[in-house]
Amino acid sequence: MKNIFIFDVEATDLYGVGFCVAAIVATQKGEIIDQFCLMSIESISECCDFVKTKVYPALKDIPCCDTNKELREKFFNFYMKYKECQIWSDVNFPVETKFLHDVVLDDTENRMWNMPYPLLDMSTIVNVNIDRHNEYKRDNPDKKLMMHNPLDDCKASLHCLLKFFGTLWKVWYCERL
């Protein structure tokens, strides 16, 4: 089975510039193989009020780079190491898909055929209205995640995705006994 690559992007607004991105690569059992998290300082001043008040406070300890292009370049290099994984995001339109589009536009000739296909959206199988952070906390009471921190959002989403597949596997297996 393929490993899972799940990523999350924070943007200046719903259709704005992605300025912070995180990704986790994990086995189907949830063992983290690698992770990536980086923020660009270039567009922070352009953030809408929601991002300034709800998202930005969760980004305090994230390593920074100077430009959005540098952020996209570093993400692309990380992604290319793992592009054979199952590629997931959570509610991938409009923020994550726009970010990937911008990654391609930085070097269209060399990137147009390297983007995730298919890009799997976990919100199509895991109820978009459940609080992923509370689901994670319920099963990991000694660990705390911060909403709108993209690395923590990846951890919570990965947890819910694997929990869903674990339940699905048990249902499928038990029906055959």
Side-chain angles (χ1 to χ4, degrees):
M1 288 189 161
K2 288 185 175 184
N3 289 328
I4 296 168
F5 180 108
I6 190 162
F7 73 103
D8 184 55
V9 178
E10 302 301 335
T12 55
D13 61 54
L14 200 53
Y15 293 91
V17 175
F19 71 94
C20 190
V21 62
I24 290 178
V25 180
T27 66
Q28 297 275 332
K29 293 181 179 180
E31 298 155 347
I32 294 177
I33 297 167
D34 204 353
Q35 62 185 33
F36 175 90
C37 191
L38 189 63
M39 177 171 64
S40 165
I41 60 173
E42 180 180 355
S43 297
I44 292 174
S45 64
E46 301 168 21
C47 292
C48 70
D49 288 341
F50 175 84
V51 174
K52 286 177 185 173
T53 59
K54 302 284 186 190
V55 177
Y56 193 68
L59 308 178
K60 290 183 226 164
D61 298 327
I62 294 179
C64 295
C65 63
D66 292 326
T67 68
N68 298 327
K69 187 171 183 177
E70 181 182 2
L71 172 73
R72 294 188 299 264
E73 181 75 24
K74 289 184 179 196
F75 173 79
F76 179 76
N77 291 336
F78 180 82
Y79 159 76
M80 286 300 290
K81 291 192 302 188
Y82 300 106
K83 77 176 230 167
E84 298 305 319
C85 293
Q86 293 179 5
I87 310 295
W88 291 85
S89 66
D90 190 4
V91 190
N92 58 35
F93 178 81
V95 176
E96 282 72 16
T97 52
K98 181 180 182 315
F99 180 79
L100 292 175
H101 183 252
D102 291 344
V103 168
V104 171
L105 291 179
D106 287 338
D107 187 1
T108 305
E109 185 178 328
N110 293 307
R111 294 182 180 174
M112 79 164 53
W113 300 108
N114 284 310
M115 288 293 95
Y117 181 79
L119 175 58
L120 303 167
D121 187 344
M122 68 171 276
S123 69
T124 61
I125 58 170
V126 176
N127 183 346
V128 73
N129 295 315
I130 69 167
D131 184 337
R132 283 136 171 68
H133 288 267
N134 279 339
E135 282 293 314
Y136 181 91
K137 188 172 176 68
R138 184 176 301 126
D139 296 329
N140 300 281
D142 57 325
K143 297 181 181 174
K144 185 174 172 127
L145 297 179
M146 189 174 247
M147 279 185 90
H148 302 300
N149 175 302
L151 192 57
D152 285 355
D153 288 350
C154 286
K155 289 175 185 175
S157 292
L158 176 66
H159 177 78
C160 290
L161 184 68
L162 293 174
K163 195 171 181 177
F164 171 82
F165 281 130
T167 302
L168 189 65
W169 170 252
K170 288 175 192 165
V171 169
W172 178 83
Y173 181 75
C174 291
E175 287 177 352
R176 282 156 180 71
L177 292 178

